Amino acid sequence: MNDDLDSISILISHLRVERNLSQAELARQLGTSQSAINRIEQGKQNLSIETIHRISEVLGRRLIHVASSEISLRVHGGTELSGTISVNTS
């Protein structure tokens, strides 16, 4: 599993618990299901930037920062990479 997704999933779970919210209550505030929150916290749910933003608002903490014109990614591996790529927003 992706380390960044693991980190976001763990952060969401910890913040939810800190705020004394059940998965069902967080789901209600987000307009989704408890099972979706469970998958998110297990790192088994793909998250859009919009979903991450909504979760951030409900939990009162920014989970990620995305620049308006550019996204920086950190790649861990044996070979140094450089350059740019074009991606869809979905």
Side-chain angles (χ1 to χ4, degrees):
M1 191 176 301
N2 181 311
D3 287 340
D4 291 333
L5 183 56
D6 284 345
S7 297
I8 291 172
S9 299
I10 291 167
L11 179 59
I12 290 168
S13 178
H14 284 254
L15 289 171
R16 178 185 59 76
V17 170
E18 282 179 6
R19 282 147 181 79
N20 291 323
L21 293 172
S22 66
Q23 287 183 343
E25 178 61 20
L26 179 57
R28 187 190 65 71
Q29 290 186 36
L30 292 171
T32 191
S33 66
Q34 183 272 329
S35 61
I37 299 302
N38 185 272
R39 286 191 307 275
I40 289 169
E41 291 184 358
Q42 296 297 317
K44 297 178 181 177
Q45 177 75 36
N46 290 328
L47 299 171
S48 67
I49 297 297
E50 179 184 338
T51 300
I52 293 171
H53 177 71
R54 286 182 19 232
I55 293 169
S56 295
E57 286 182 334
V58 170
L59 295 177
R61 172 129 178 244
R62 182 168 48 176
L63 301 174
I64 63 169
H65 174 74
V66 179
S68 60
S69 62
E70 179 179 309
I71 297 175
S72 298
L73 303 173
R74 180 176 295 154
V75 177
H76 299 277
T79 305
E80 185 174 332
L81 302 175
S82 64
T84 60
I85 59 170
S86 297
V87 296
N88 288 333
T89 58
S90 61

